[in-house]
């Protein structure tokens, strides 16, 4: 659901954004800690999984189309080399409403009005 469709109104939407911001901040701190030399492969994998799950929750919240999700996960979340920094930037952009997919969705919505 996006905020305009949120049954709880602006207050619960603001609360959701605040929670998203807290989760994003925790994810950022985790990524920064993993950049340290002592981070194990297992720690990196766990943090990557948590960040991916957070990204999926944001996609659900903002109504991101399934085809975008599939392409994004195939590009950035498969194979042996995972890019946590790319996921983190996407999370930050989504929370700010500035992710490329959100801008495209808004352009399509404006065109159709």
């Amino acid at each position: 659901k996006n905020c305009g469709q949120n049954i709880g109104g602006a207050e619960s939407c603001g609360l959701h954004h605040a929670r998203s911001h807290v989760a994003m901040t925790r994810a950022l701190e985790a990524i920064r800690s993993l950049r340290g030399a002592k981070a194990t492969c297992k720690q990196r994998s766990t943090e990557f999984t948590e960040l991916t799950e957070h990204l999926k929750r944001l996609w659900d919240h903002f109504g991101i189309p399934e085809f975008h999700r599939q392409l994004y996960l195939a590009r950035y979340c498969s194979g042996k080399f995972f890019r946590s920094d790319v996921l983190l930037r996407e999370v930050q952009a989504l929370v700010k409403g500035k992710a490329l997919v959100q801008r495209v969705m808004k352009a399509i919505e404006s065109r159709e009005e």
Side-chain angles (χ1 to χ4, degrees), residues 15 45 82 86 92 95 99 108:
L15 178 61
S45 178
F82 303 123
V86 172
Q92 291 170 331
V95 170
I108 291 169

Side-chain angles (χ1 to χ4, degrees), residues 3 6 8-23 54 58 61-62 95:
C3 292
N6 193 335
E11 183 177 325
S12 67
C13 183
L15 178 61
H16 181 79
H17 282 298
R19 287 181 182 156
S20 292
H21 181 71
V22 168
H54 181 59
L58 286 174
H61 175 73
F62 290 113
V95 170

Side-chain angles (χ1 to χ4, degrees), residues 32-47:
R32 287 179 179 154
S33 71
L34 290 176
R35 289 183 178 154
K38 295 183 180 183
T40 66
C41 184
K42 186 174 181 177
Q43 287 171 320
R44 290 177 195 269
S45 178
T46 299
E47 295 299 332

Side-chain angles (χ1 to χ4, degrees), residues 59-76:
W59 284 341
D60 288 341
H61 175 73
F62 290 113
I64 303 302
E66 184 62 33
F67 67 87
H68 172 78
R69 299 173 191 211
Q70 291 173 1
L71 291 172
Y72 194 92
L73 291 173
R75 172 70 173 98
Y76 295 109

Side-chain angles (χ1 to χ4, degrees), residues 23-37 39 43-52 82-89 91-92:
M24 181 184 70
T25 301
R26 277 194 302 239
L28 178 59
E29 290 169 358
I31 296 299
R32 287 179 179 154
S33 71
L34 290 176
R35 289 183 178 154
Q43 287 171 320
R44 290 177 195 269
S45 178
T46 299
E47 295 299 332
F48 182 83
T49 300
E50 290 175 6
L51 190 54
T52 303
F82 303 123
R83 298 289 311 260
S84 294
D85 58 322
V86 172
L87 294 183
L88 184 59
R89 284 195 303 268
V91 166
Q92 291 170 331

